[in-house]
Amino acid sequence: GNSVTQMEGPVTLSEEAFLTINCTYTATGYPSLFWYVQYPGEGLQLLLKATKADDKGSNKGFEATYRKETTSFHLEKGSVQVSDSAVYFCALSDRDSTLTFGKGTMLLVSP
Amino acid sequence: DTGVSQNPRHKITKRGQNVTFRCDPISEHNRLYWYRQTLGQGPEFLTYFQNEAQLEKSRLLSDRFSAERPKGSFSTLEIQRTEQGDSAMYLCASSLAEGTGELFFGEGSRLTVL
């Protein structure tokens, strides 16, 4: 079946540091890939997505590239801010938009 | 607020009692999903509806769980004879059937079974 594996957290960074959160997946067919973010006290919200191989999703300074050859969708940001502190979930959708999520990675950014 | 609304936000109950959660999706969305999230885990799919039809159910949804969406608008998730292992956050999400796969989530209903 489908599965998503992402690096365990928490990831602790200083403001303006470079961020990478690794995500790999196992799926049949050609899934769409997503990063969702959950800020403290809020619901999950879509951060970015990519629907086919080599697509790059981007939003709010975050980027991720759909790599079919390595089955990966790593999240990156060049300079994190304190307001980026949240839990980040990698997810895939193969049909009917039923998402399979990873366990989540907590990011803590200090001033 | 036109987002996904869930009630109650927190429910504490004793083992063996029944509980019901309600979800009001974004009004023009015809798909509605239920997920369960336990501490330190990502959300796990439970079931989803397209309009009033329940199209898929996860094996996680035991016989004690039932979900309805009677008029294709709001949905309820009922858990009968609750067990301590049912303690979790229950998330509702909605989307357009013809959409891009983006789900809009509510803030969740937290269940604590004592």
Side-chain angles (χ1 to χ4, degrees), chain A residues 34 36 38 41-44 46 49 51 89 95-99 101-104, chain B residues 31 33 35 37 40-43 45 48 56 91 95 100-103 105-107:
Chain A
F34 304 83
Y36 277 78
Q38 188 169 31
E42 298 184 16
L44 281 160
L46 179 67
K49 67 177 182 182
T51 56
F89 293 90
R95 57 183 172 82
D96 293 334
S97 299
T98 55
L99 295 171
F101 286 88
K103 291 185 177 182
Chain B
R31 285 196 176 178
Y33 303 80
Y35 284 80
Q37 185 177 18
Q41 302 295 316
F45 170 75
Y48 91 96
E56 188 171 344
L91 302 174
S95 74
T100 56
E102 177 178 3
L103 271 58
F105 283 85
E107 295 181 358

